[in-house]
Amino acid sequence: MLHKFFARYCPFLLIFLLACDLKDAKEVDSSLSFTKIFDNDLFAKTFTPLDVKQTPDGGYLVLGETAVDFSTFAGIFLLKIDRAGNAVFSQTLADGSLNPVSDLVPTANGFFLMCMDILGNETKLIRIDFDGIRVTEVQRYTGINNPLSATPEGNSSWVVQHYNQDENAVYVSSLANNNPSRSQQMAFPIVVDGYTESRIEDAIFKHLNRIGRKKPFMSGSLGSGMYFYNGYLEETFSVVFFRFGEEYAYGPDGGQEPAKLLGVSDDEVVSNIFQTGNRTFALARYANGANFFTTKTDDLFNDIILNNTVIQTEDLTNLPILELFPNARVVLKRVQIGGRRVLLYASDTIGKQIVLFAYDEATGNLLGKKYLGSGFPYEIGGFDQTDDGGLAVVGTTYITGRFPRVCMFKLSNQDLLNLISLSGN
Amino acid sequence: MSIKLLFKLLGIISLIAVLMVSNAQAQKRKGDFGPFRKHKPQSKKKDKNLIRFENTQWWLGAKFGGNLTQAKPFERFTPFSSTSNFNPDFYNKQYQDFRPAGAFSGFVITFFHRGFSASLQPNYRRHRFLFSNDYEWLDLSNPNLNLTLNYQYAQSLDYIDIPLLFRYDILRSKLRPFVQLGGYYGQLINANLTLERTGIDRASGSTSPISEPELEVGNPNYFIKTSLGLLGGIGVNYDVGNVRLSLEANYRYGMNNLANAQNRYLDNRLASIGYAPDNVKLRSFEISLSCLFPMRFLISKNFKSVD
């Protein structure tokens, strides 16, 4: 009887038994997707990541800031991570390099980083090898002090915003990798003539000493001889568009001022701006705590650059983003997802999660968003697209709610495809 | 999902029962008496059919018991990575073997023939195991300032389990010991992770114990549905009238990794507290008691079951 039973009905039983999911237990490529928190047993240490870049071995190098005992400025912290997300090396630079002001910029044999030196607050360019171990000074720029932001222009030069305390002016200078002197420069007054500059200068030095929130200083080239910086100009924190060598006038006497996207003091500013085309941009801004995205600028924005006019940031087409932390830091970059150009805004929510907003670059429409981190607070540091089409996101998390540590989310290409499918995950 | 599985299982059990009945009816139509056979004690020589009838029995019954589970990790994972100690084992979870106890209950369908049995024992079971992590943060400039935390996890895995056992009765007396060997297939129904966080804070002005509210989350997505393995053990049957009581002890040897590698870092909340499932196989001891009823009888004054 039993053998008859099994002979007749075993196929059904086998189908039932074989409808299983053993394949899901097979180890996937651990580099595709992971979440990592880089802890340290030192009680008083604070680690704040700023940028992450993939290295040729498939691993990652994280750039961050940490307090050092030899200066009141921020020390530079480097963390090398293998492709599976395990820390393999970390160091805090002890060569006098402080206050990193650029992202890690990949070169053939390492990364360039523009930073400040402990001696005279001079700007200097260092090279970090892919392992994050060897750091060499490439160039020191005498007389270029208090760097606030830096972006590479091509392979051999930089656009650096820095503060000249003697002249009470913000400078934007074009610096070459192999030349200690600036090739071009332009000064911008931080206050209107006759006003005291102490408030603005105080704000700049608080930023340099990392007291309070960092300000979104930026600078860079827009092509065709046009440059921009995001920083102080005549008591405002504005995005200023200019050409080196042009004559600009300031103050009540009139004259041709540079084109600008006018912020108001420190409370209404552009928190990030990204050039999407010749005269088109995507940007994020905050105003008195509220946060806004402009995912595609219109003709009005084009006009201000062409005609050296001025508009208020509030005149932009703004999307209010209510879930962001007041005056949130925003990292804005372009990534390729499924062959589509996507603008990725990364920021912090009120609930202290990291949130990614994906917008179609062509239309400015929202494609999807994703939240990272939960349980303890999380804050965005930076992100970078990886060779496998995924995304590496670094941030700060507060272990047990009190220890600021580096965290990293590696998203797979599939995760990003899910992100732009408006699945709302 | 779990309801579908229950229906699936009930379907199979019903199918087995229907087949047994239809098979018996078919035999009866052929002249065979199926589960009943007239007993002729006066005949000196038993006919062949009667001998064949007496050598075979179906048992149907219920079973319940307890188990102790050991999670055997063979590949470790953690969301934490130390920047001060690059030893990859630094954050390994510490597993506590064979505690706490789990339980199970289900049905038994056994076919017996000349001392050998095949037994299908579908049941609902819970495996439970414990693991923990310890963390410490120190202020090097003042060692008196430190924070220690202990994260104690309790994982439970609920399965609908279908073991198939082959058994040999060593003796054929009223008290009959047996050995058995077989395999099992389990379908995960539910999984729960409970976290208890305790510690000592010596950094906030005094020595202050930390005891945070227990956190319980369902984490079935961290595990695959399928569990396969071997089991073997010993036991003893004791007949009380026509009812058979069976006490048995088994060791279960999990063959497959239970963790779902695709979903290892699925839940940000759990990653934040340092949890990602290791690749594990389960081992467990179990003791059970069954109460079985015979399905074939000799027609006599007392309807004696065949043995």
Side-chain angles (χ1 to χ4, degrees), chain A residues 20-21 27 36-37 43 374 378, chain B residues 78-79 138 225-226 264 272:
Chain A
C20 57
D21 55 353
E27 205 46 54
K36 285 288 177 179
I37 295 167
F43 195 85
S374 179
Y378 285 79
Chain B
T78 171
L138 290 168
K225 300 292 179 199
T226 306
R264 197 176 308 281
S272 298

Side-chain angles (χ1 to χ4, degrees), chain A residues 108-377:
Chain A
N109 48 4
F111 296 101
F112 278 147
L113 175 67
M114 198 65 86
C115 62
M116 190 174 84
D117 192 76
I118 193 170
L119 295 175
N121 294 1
E122 285 182 340
T123 303
K124 75 173 180 182
L125 179 64
I126 58 175
R127 177 186 289 119
I128 303 160
D129 75 345
F130 290 123
D131 294 328
I133 299 172
R134 284 172 297 281
V135 176
T136 51
E137 183 177 309
V138 177
Q139 194 59 258
R140 179 183 294 263
Y141 302 97
T142 307
I144 312 288
N145 301 24
N146 304 316
L148 298 168
S149 66
T151 309
E153 183 183 17
N155 295 325
S156 58
S157 61
W158 296 75
V159 180
V160 177
Q161 179 186 182
H162 51 104
Y163 177 62
N164 187 318
Q165 196 173 4
D166 297 331
E167 298 179 23
N168 303 122
V170 162
Y171 272 75
V172 178
S173 299
S174 180
L175 305 176
N177 291 355
N178 56 3
N179 188 342
S181 303
R182 66 193 93 184
S183 57
Q184 302 179 91
Q185 67 173 31
M186 183 156 275
F188 299 90
I190 58 171
V191 290
V192 181
D193 279 348
Y195 286 78
T196 175
E197 66 281 346
S198 61
R199 185 189 69 79
I200 304 297
E201 184 172 290
D202 187 47
I204 289 173
F205 275 95
K206 278 184 174 172
H207 169 88
L208 288 170
N209 284 285
R210 304 295 187 254
I211 298 169
R213 288 178 67 81
K214 285 170 68 176
K215 301 200 179 307
F217 289 105
M218 297 179 71
S219 53
S221 166
L222 302 176
S224 306
M226 181 70 76
Y227 294 83
F228 82 97
Y229 81 94
N230 189 31
Y232 285 108
L233 176 71
E234 294 183 305
E235 299 267 350
T236 68
F237 201 103
S238 302
V239 184
V240 182
F241 301 91
F242 66 95
R243 293 176 186 277
F244 284 117
E246 290 271 335
E247 290 287 332
Y248 297 114
Y250 303 97
D253 299 335
Q256 182 60 62
E257 292 195 18
K260 59 193 170 195
L261 187 54
L262 196 63
V264 179
S265 186
D266 291 352
D267 299 323
E268 292 187 25
V269 307
V270 169
S271 49
N272 208 322
I273 184 165
F274 180 81
Q275 187 181 18
T276 53
N278 190 26
R279 292 285 179 267
T280 54
F281 298 85
L283 55 89
R285 70 179 189 92
Y286 57 77
N288 302 309
N291 295 277
F292 303 92
F293 291 168
T294 302
T295 56
K296 194 178 181 188
T297 54
D298 51 21
D299 292 342
L300 176 67
F301 201 88
N302 198 12
D303 288 345
I304 70 162
I305 299 174
L306 288 176
N307 304 321
N308 277 2
T309 53
V310 177
I311 60 167
Q312 303 271 348
T313 52
E314 63 195 24
D315 293 333
L316 294 169
T317 306
N318 288 306
L319 297 168
I321 310 295
L322 302 178
E323 64 204 278
L324 295 192
F325 194 79
N327 296 350
R329 179 166 180 260
V330 176
V331 182
L332 169 57
K333 290 181 182 178
R334 173 193 289 146
V335 294
Q336 294 278 346
I337 306 177
R340 179 187 268 186
R341 282 181 161 191
V342 174
L343 293 170
L344 212 53
Y345 288 71
S347 191
D348 311 327
T349 66
I350 295 169
K352 281 292 177 184
Q353 287 179 289
I354 293 170
V355 60
L356 303 176
F357 292 86
Y359 290 93
D360 185 3
E361 186 176 317
T363 63
N365 293 335
L366 179 70
L367 297 172
K369 58 183 174 179
K370 185 177 183 68
Y371 298 89
L372 302 172
S374 179
F376 297 126

Side-chain angles (χ1 to χ4, degrees), chain A residues 1-2 5 9 16-17 20-22 24-25 27 36-41 43 87 90 373-374 378 400 402, chain B residues 8 19 23 58 78-79 81 83 86 91 137-138 149 185 201 203 225-226 256-257 261 264 268-269 272 279:
Chain A
M1 184 171 164
L2 188 67
F5 166 73
Y9 300 103
F16 176 76
L17 295 178
C20 57
D21 55 353
L22 286 172
D24 289 343
E27 205 46 54
K36 285 288 177 179
I37 295 167
F38 301 97
D39 192 19
N40 188 300
D41 57 3
F43 195 85
S90 73
S374 179
Y378 285 79
T400 74
R402 69 172 91 180
Chain B
K8 222 174 184 181
L19 290 168
N23 228 9
W58 282 93
T78 171
S81 181
T83 59
F86 298 103
Y91 289 110
W137 291 270
L138 290 168
L149 284 178
Y185 167 81
D201 183 352
K225 300 292 179 199
T226 306
N256 67 306
N257 173 26
R264 197 176 308 281
N268 288 319
R269 290 172 304 166
S272 298
N279 284 347

Side-chain angles (χ1 to χ4, degrees), chain A residues 21-63:
Chain A
D21 55 353
L22 286 172
K23 65 179 190 315
D24 289 343
K26 282 187 182 168
E27 205 46 54
V28 292
D29 182 352
S30 55
S31 68
L32 291 179
S33 179
F34 58 78
T35 300
K36 285 288 177 179
I37 295 167
F38 301 97
D39 192 19
N40 188 300
D41 57 3
L42 298 179
F43 195 85
K45 274 286 185 184
T46 297
F47 301 98
T48 307
L50 302 173
D51 189 29
V52 59
K53 287 288 184 308
Q54 197 166 27
T55 52
D57 63 358
Y60 305 89
L61 189 67
V62 176
L63 165 70

